[in-house]
């Protein structure tokens, strides 16, 4: 079904051809030959989240740790690892006040589920692999977000190249592409930078700026995304990084010609957001990358 602005007044001419007529308005999508009802019927359906369902939270924990290990390998594949910076956290299904995170300094392309460490609400490592070094910034930021957002199970942050470049501009992204519509009215700008996050108040400030949204641009720092699933949080990060890249290119091209980029209409952006910006859309969009990484890793990512 087309967005609101891609409609025009139509009436059946009697010969199977619909023509415009001002005194008899009806909505029709821009796509030729399709009524709004037909377009809705032809719309691609997104299947329900088909991950295994576990009644035993301990089995759920082991499955989700495997997904988190795959997430780090995906981030590494896309070049989102920068030395020892960056972290992805998973709320623990057994003890939800704690979360799983990568050990500080362990290479993401080699990360296994058995390497992950679990951190409690006080910032103490209480479970996990042999290397139990904790990145203090990871705890300060992610604990604050997990605590403020009980609806969120995964939080991702890294210093990706286009994200951190865009975060120097002190502004949020424009809705200029279909992909950027996923963040329409659903992204925050944290317009402060006070160095590496080593204090609780900075993490709390980031969580407050994020609010109920799925993503944040951390000024002079990088991107942060979150979701109910690991998959959605990872996809929002990948997509936001590409949106930053696209806007940097588009702004440069437009500026070089003395113009500006064309913004998507508010109604169209909101309409598109409802399709591409949902939790389900994020999870489903990530599925191919997770399937591919699982295939490439074999069983190596688990133990």
């Amino acid at each position: 079904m087309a967005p609101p602005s891609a409609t025009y007044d139509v009436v059946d001419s009697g010969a199977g051809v619909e023509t415009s007529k001002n005194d008899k308005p009806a909505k029709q999508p821009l796509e030729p030959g399709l009524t709004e009802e037909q377009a809705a019927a032809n719309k691609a359906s997104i299947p329900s989240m088909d991950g295994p369902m576990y009644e035993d939270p301990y089995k759920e924990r082991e499955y989700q740790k495997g997904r988190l290990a795959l997430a780090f390998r995906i981030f590494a594949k896309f070049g989102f690892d920068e030395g020892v910076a960056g972290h992805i956290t998973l709320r623990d299904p057994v003890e939800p006040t704690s979360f799983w995170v990568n050990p500080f300094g362990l290479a993401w392309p080699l990360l296994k589920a058995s390497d992950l460490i679990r951190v409690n609400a006080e910032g103490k490592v209480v479970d996990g692999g042999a290397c139990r070094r904790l990145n203090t910034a990871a705890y300060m930021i992610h604990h604050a977000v997990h605590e403020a957002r009980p609806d969120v199970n995964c939080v991702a942050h890294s210093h990706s190249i286009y994200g951190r470049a865009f975060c120097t501009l002190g502004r949020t992204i424009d809705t200029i592409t279909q992909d950027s519509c996923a963040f329409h009215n659903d992204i925050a700008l944290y317009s402060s930078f006070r160095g590496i996050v080593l204090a609780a108040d900075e993490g709390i400030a980031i969580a407050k700026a994020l609010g109920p949204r799925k993503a944040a641009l951390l000024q002079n720092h990088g991107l942060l995304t979150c979701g109910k699933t690991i998959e959605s949080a990872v996809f929002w990060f990948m997509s936001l990084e590409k949106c930053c890249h696209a806007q940097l290119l588009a702004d440069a091209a437009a500026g070089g010609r003395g113009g500006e980029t064309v913004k998507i209409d508010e109604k169209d952006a909101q309409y598109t957001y409802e399709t591409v910006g949902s939790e389900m859309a994020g999870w489903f969009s990530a599925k191919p990358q997770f399937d591919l990484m699982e295939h490439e890793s074999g069983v190596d990512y688990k133990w």
Side-chain angles (χ1 to χ4, degrees):
M1 189 165 67
S5 69
T7 60
Y8 52 90
D9 294 344
V10 297
V11 62
D12 195 328
S13 66
V17 177
E18 293 176 315
T19 57
S20 67
K21 183 177 180 180
N22 294 330
D23 61 352
K24 194 171 182 180
K27 285 186 176 180
Q28 171 164 324
L30 191 60
E31 292 86 347
L34 285 181
T35 65
E36 190 172 20
E37 291 74 19
Q38 288 171 329
N42 291 346
K43 187 177 179 180
S45 61
I46 298 176
S48 60
M49 298 184 192
D50 61 359
M53 302 293 291
Y54 295 105
E55 292 185 5
D56 182 349
Y58 289 93
K59 290 183 178 179
E60 176 71 17
R61 171 192 278 177
E62 291 310 306
Y63 172 74
Q64 294 296 346
K65 285 174 62 182
R67 304 302 281 178
L68 186 57
L70 290 174
F72 280 107
R73 293 185 179 211
I74 290 170
F75 264 39
K77 185 175 181 178
F78 279 83
F80 298 157
D81 51 339
E82 177 76 12
V84 297
H87 11 85
I88 311 173
T89 54
L90 164 70
R91 188 190 298 276
D92 183 50
V94 179
E95 297 183 29
T97 58
S98 63
F99 61 77
W100 294 90
V101 68
N102 51 308
F104 194 30
L106 197 64
W108 292 9
L110 304 176
L111 192 74
K112 301 177 181 180
S114 58
D115 293 321
L116 296 167
I117 56 175
R118 185 164 64 89
V119 183
N120 68 12
E122 288 71 45
K124 304 296 183 183
V125 178
V126 294
D127 195 0
C131 175
R132 296 196 172 189
R133 288 189 298 268
L134 173 64
N135 183 334
T136 301
Y139 169 73
M140 293 302 178
I141 296 173
H142 291 248
H143 170 69
V145 174
H146 280 292
E147 190 171 56
R149 294 284 301 278
D151 60 309
V152 161
N153 290 314
C154 183
V155 182
H157 166 65
S158 187
H159 302 169
S160 54
I161 185 67
Y162 298 110
R164 62 183 170 185
F166 191 86
C167 285
T168 66
L169 303 179
R171 54 176 293 195
T172 189
I173 61 171
D174 294 326
T175 311
I176 57 174
T177 65
Q178 176 173 303
D179 305 287
S180 65
C181 288
F183 302 97
H184 183 65
N185 294 329
D186 204 8
I187 186 170
L189 172 64
Y190 178 61
S191 55
S192 177
F193 179 75
R194 290 181 282 182
I196 299 173
V197 184
L198 300 178
D201 60 344
E202 184 73 354
I204 292 170
I206 290 172
K208 184 177 180 180
L210 175 67
R213 304 169 188 86
K214 69 159 71 81
L217 300 165
L218 309 183
Q219 188 168 293
N220 306 110
H221 192 172
L223 309 180
L224 182 143
T225 60
C226 59
K228 293 181 180 179
T229 63
I230 295 170
E231 291 85 354
S232 64
V234 166
F235 180 74
W236 298 139
F237 193 100
M238 294 191 297
S239 183
L240 183 55
E241 168 74 356
K242 291 179 180 178
C243 286
C244 290
H245 188 183
Q247 183 158 349
L248 290 168
L249 292 173
D251 282 348
R257 297 175 65 86
E260 294 185 1
T261 56
V262 176
K263 313 304 188 289
I264 296 175
D265 174 82
E266 169 67 27
K267 290 183 178 179
D268 293 344
Q270 182 60 36
Y271 174 91
T272 308
Y273 168 82
E274 291 169 4
T275 300
V276 303
S278 69
E279 172 70 23
M280 182 70 76
W283 170 84
F284 189 58
S285 297
K287 191 174 182 299
Q289 282 298 333
F290 275 81
D291 289 346
L292 178 59
M293 184 52 68
E294 188 169 20
H295 171 75
E296 292 177 352
S297 300
V299 297
D300 178 61
Y301 72 95
K302 295 182 179 180
W303 304 285

